[in-house]
Amino acid sequence: MAPGGAPTCRMVASGMAAYPANSDGVPFDMSHIYASGNIAADMYCNLTAARTGRILASRLWNATEDPGMKKMLGPAPPHSGAQKEQMK
């Protein structure tokens, strides 16, 4: 076992970096990513998820007085010019 309890083979394979696995040790395999095949529907779902994340971050920002939390949340990165044009 390597430091921190991780198996040595994982430490060698990942180059001492974070190992992409869930809490059970199952390697990341992108099984949680879904695509319907309908590009418009997939783009709409992606947009909805992004907006939901921004709303959640905004609500957390307003709900906390912790400076560490506010620093972590920080201001949202600006949209690219192309995204701004699409949102008009």
Side-chain angles (χ1 to χ4, degrees):
M1 286 283 192
T8 305
C9 62
R10 280 198 189 157
M11 298 301 287
V12 170
S14 66
M16 298 292 288
Y19 186 71
N22 67 12
S23 60
D24 293 327
V26 178
F28 176 72
D29 62 1
M30 295 177 42
S31 63
H32 69 286
I33 298 175
Y34 303 103
S36 67
N38 180 338
I39 295 173
D42 291 343
M43 294 285 286
Y44 181 77
C45 287
N46 187 18
L47 178 67
T48 303
R51 285 185 177 173
T52 301
R54 286 180 181 268
I55 290 169
L56 177 60
S58 175
R59 288 179 179 168
L60 288 171
W61 173 272
N62 291 326
T64 187
E65 296 298 323
D66 181 9
M69 177 69 88
K70 287 191 181 241
K71 182 179 177 185
M72 181 193 68
L73 291 171
H79 286 291
S80 70
Q83 288 174 325
K84 287 180 183 176
E85 288 299 317
Q86 290 174 351
M87 293 180 156
K88 286 184 178 180

